[in-house]
């Protein structure tokens, strides 16, 4: 029976979540503003954030359900909503930001619970204009955390680069769950 694998793209504003999902989605991608009603900090009551959604049909009849959420911890309320059933994480890092390694460290901390049950891949963007920090810095950071996950320099405006991330993630999912995919049944 075909399954739907739910994947989550996490990244800071401008890291390329909307672009990445739009590049590979087989349906018109949905990018919507969601009001922050968590109101843990009263000044954030009016914040709106973009939630992305797209779908990718695999040749074997399975589907990838692609969700994009902002990585800052104040959006935790959104992660809880979309995290249910997630089997893979794509961390998108923008290498042009002031502290991109710090961004990734933050994601790894914030998503530690989910990471314990999912596979993950890191895509580092804008390396062509901002080669520093180099890839080695990311490898070292992951090693420091005792985590093994692939890291790629990507330009998510290129469909092939996004497909590479999904392919790597999907192969990890299959390797972890060869017999019973940890996925929701399509239409469930
Ligand atoms: N030069 C360059 N631009 C990129 C790269 N990745 C994303 N962008 C651009 O960055 C902008 C913000 O991307 P967007 O998908 O809206 O980011 P989001 O906030 O994470 O959804 C878009 O104009 C993308 O085309 C990259 O690797 N290199
Ligand atoms: Mg966006």
């Amino acid at each position: 029976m075909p399954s739907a694998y739910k994947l989550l793209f996490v990244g800071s504003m401008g890291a390329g979540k909307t672009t990445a999902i739009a590049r590979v989605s087989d349906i018109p991608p949905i990018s919507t503003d969601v009001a922050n009603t968590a109101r843990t900090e009263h000044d954030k009551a009016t914040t709106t954030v973009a939630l992305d959604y797209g779908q990718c049909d695999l040749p074997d009849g399975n589907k990838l359900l692609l969700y994009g959420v902002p990585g800052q911890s104040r959006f935790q309320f959104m992660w809880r909503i979309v995290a249910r059933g997630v089997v893979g994480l794509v961390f998108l890092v923008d290498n042009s930001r002031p502290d991109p390694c710090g961004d990734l460290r933050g994601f790894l901390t914030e998503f530690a619970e989910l990471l314990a049950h999912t596979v993950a891949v890191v895509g580092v963007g804008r390396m062509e204009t901002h080669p520093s920090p180099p890839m080695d810095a990311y490898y070292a950071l992951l090693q420091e955390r005792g985590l093994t996950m692939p890291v790629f320099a990507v330009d998510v405006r290129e469909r092939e680069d996004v497909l590479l991330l999904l392919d790597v993630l999907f192969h990890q999912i299959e390797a972890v769950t060869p017999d019973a995919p940890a996925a929701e049944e399509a239409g469930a």
Side-chain angles (χ1 to χ4, degrees):
M1 176 165 315
S3 291
Y5 297 85
K6 193 167 163 182
L7 307 181
L8 193 57
F9 286 72
V10 176
S12 46
M13 299 288 179
K17 303 176 295 291
T18 302
T19 307
I21 290 172
R23 279 298 174 277
V24 294
S25 184
D26 293 318
I27 60 161
I30 298 161
S31 187
T32 180
D33 283 331
V34 177
N36 180 355
T37 52
R39 304 192 67 139
T40 44
E41 301 163 53
H42 77 276
D43 62 327
K44 297 287 171 9
T46 55
T47 304
T48 58
V49 294
L51 172 72
D52 296 291
Y53 179 72
Q55 276 183 16
C56 191
D57 296 317
L58 301 177
D60 59 6
N62 292 324
K63 264 186 202 307
L64 301 180
L65 312 181
L66 310 172
Y67 290 80
V69 292
Q72 299 92 317
S73 55
R74 68 176 192 271
F75 297 119
Q76 265 179 1
F77 73 99
M78 284 181 67
W79 308 338
R80 290 199 199 97
I81 296 165
V82 294
R84 198 176 155 268
V86 164
V87 294
L89 285 161
V90 180
F91 294 116
L92 289 181
V93 177
D94 175 355
N95 226 38
S96 72
R97 278 172 51 88
D99 181 15
C101 283
D103 290 343
L104 180 59
R105 275 198 194 89
F107 300 157
L108 296 175
T109 301
E110 298 294 345
F111 286 84
E113 209 176 301
L114 198 53
L115 270 172
H117 312 283
T118 58
V119 297
V121 64
V122 180
V124 185
R126 294 187 177 82
M127 275 231 150
E128 76 278 8
T129 49
H130 296 79
S132 184
M135 294 296 272
D136 283 351
Y138 292 100
Y139 301 141
L141 186 167
L142 289 166
Q143 205 175 7
E144 219 173 79
R145 295 275 179 125
L147 294 167
T148 8
M149 64 181 80
V151 186
F152 296 96
V154 292
D155 183 338
V156 293
R157 295 170 301 175
E158 302 291 335
R159 181 176 152 86
E160 287 305 312
D161 283 20
V162 185
L163 288 176
L164 169 74
L165 292 175
L166 295 182
D167 206 44
V168 166
L169 204 55
F170 198 63
H171 279 99
Q172 290 185 79
I173 293 168
E174 284 190 318
V176 173
T177 55
D179 302 320
E184 294 167 22
E185 281 181 7

